[in-house]
Amino acid sequence: MASKNKRVAVIGGGVAGIASMVALKEEGGFDIACFEKTDNFGGTWCYREESVIGVASIMPTTHLVTSKELSAISNFPPRKECSNFMRHDQVYEYIQEYAKLQDVLKYIQFNSKVTEVKKTDDYEETGRWIVTVKNTVTREITNSVYDGVMVAIGHVNRPNIPSYPGQDLFKGNLFHSHSLKEVDPYKNKTIIVVGMGCSGLDAAIETSNVAKQVYLSARNGAFVVDRVGINGIPYDYDMLRPYLYQLMDIFPTKFISWCFETGYLDKQYNHNLYPVVPKQHLLARDPSVTSNFSAKLINGAVIQKPGIQSFTEDGVVFEGETEVTKADVVIMATGYTWKFPFLEEDVLVREENRIDLYKCVFPIHLKHPTIAIVGFFLPFGPGIPPGELQCRWVAQVFAGKCKLPSRKIMLEHTRRRYEANVARYGPSEKVSIKVDFIQYCDEIAVEFGAKPNLLKYFLTDIHLFSKIMFGPSLAYQYRLQGPHPWDGAREAIMTSEERMLYPLARRESNVRENMLKILFRKALSALLF
């Protein structure tokens, strides 16, 4: 007897793909097939010795840039023993444990590359899709019809390498940071790293441990946030709090940025003391998060330089300079472009730099909401919680329990987000998909009833209310109510600080500071610094 379940194809076996399968399985009523073109799951966090175009790549030393509690899955807190900024193998283990617990690995078909997703002949009536898959080992090609498709391949897997005058003349080694693995080959080399995003900073810091000299080139500069925040705890555990984020709805973004830059970042190190001063304020570009950068600058292992004007055979000329800076290696940490080569052209409509996806998920111009792009966004903050919320929302829509607004309303909403982002960040290829972490999580959670009712908790559970409003923004709050709530959500919120503090001393923390001491320290800091 044929199954009455809806058939859903999930494309990609990374974090977003696993979250998609979990959300569909949790909701029930779906037959799931996940297609992963490599031989393993985990996406970005599955370390591979070789870098492949179209597959995310990381270094052996890559760590999370957001802390474990802020990056956690909504019903699966990381173990207290895990480092706050987990290394890639710890992240992979965490994802693996979750996938096994939820029993979704059985749905993944490995070495299965999706080559085409197109509408069926009866799409106008049914909203169904034909998915064509090629087995990369046997070369077998199959076609199957699905009621829904979730695209979960991310957008950091196709390197973007800009072109400079004279670049072809350069006789040294030039490559994208996507291909950077071990740093031993660069021992005693002079290296130029281009780009001040997280990848550029990591490349500069790691290679500087063995290189003769590292130059970090950036045309616009960037504000750098250290992983270690106030009092030695993770920066985001202190900073990403709802009551602070709400200031952005009251005051201009530039003012909030200035306050943060002046009162927090400049105390770590003053960016104005170095050659490349940021041209945009902190909240007007993707955050650059790393560790040990200021130490590398102060000891000269990394030297900041402006953008590259041109290449020569044995080096580069930086903007504003006339002499050649000789180099053996140039590493382009210049970001990624995005591409969904298997989708029909009219699925993802793009007008100039505006990508017409409703709330970065649903293509606006399609008649049926039966295809969704998940994990395709750039958050100012952690990526896993909003990605998981997207997946839970899509499962509700596919199940027919949530409806999308009219095309007109969706398009207007997308235009407003685009215009606001352009005003804040300036035009760019991915400006449409930039989102603020807390606001975006709430925005998606509202769609399917998972946003916590703060008034209710204010009246009935003031301790929980205080943790949600004034504590770090944790994904567990989105399991307090709505579809598929989790009984352990409240406990996870209340014990988050214990899991954050534990790896610092590798024991249960009993830190309880006297309030007078705290006030005195703050007053002294204000007077002296």
Side-chain angles (χ1 to χ4, degrees), residues 217-228:
S217 170
R219 183 162 291 159
N220 296 318
F223 284 101
V224 179
V225 181
D226 198 291
R227 286 185 175 93
V228 182

Side-chain angles (χ1 to χ4, degrees), residues 294-324:
S294 57
K296 293 292 185 179
L297 288 178
I298 205 76
N299 67 23
V302 176
I303 297 175
Q304 279 191 299
K305 286 287 186 177
I308 293 175
Q309 179 176 297
S310 62
F311 277 79
T312 65
E313 288 186 355
D314 58 354
V316 306
V317 177
F318 291 109
E319 293 174 349
E321 299 182 6
T322 56
E323 293 184 3
V324 174

Side-chain angles (χ1 to χ4, degrees), residues 311-370:
F311 277 79
T312 65
E313 288 186 355
D314 58 354
V316 306
V317 177
F318 291 109
E319 293 174 349
E321 299 182 6
T322 56
E323 293 184 3
V324 174
T325 299
K326 294 187 178 181
D328 303 299
V329 180
V330 175
I331 302 172
M332 294 289 189
T334 45
Y336 296 83
T337 186
W338 59 272
K339 191 175 183 181
F340 300 100
F342 47 81
L343 291 181
E344 286 183 305
E345 288 188 5
D346 67 339
V347 172
L348 205 55
V349 175
R350 182 176 177 180
E351 294 185 13
E352 295 181 350
N353 283 324
R354 193 188 77 224
I355 304 168
D356 285 344
L357 283 175
Y358 180 55
K359 300 197 174 181
C360 303
V361 178
F362 288 101
I364 292 171
H365 298 282
L366 297 179
K367 182 176 181 180
H368 301 282
T370 53

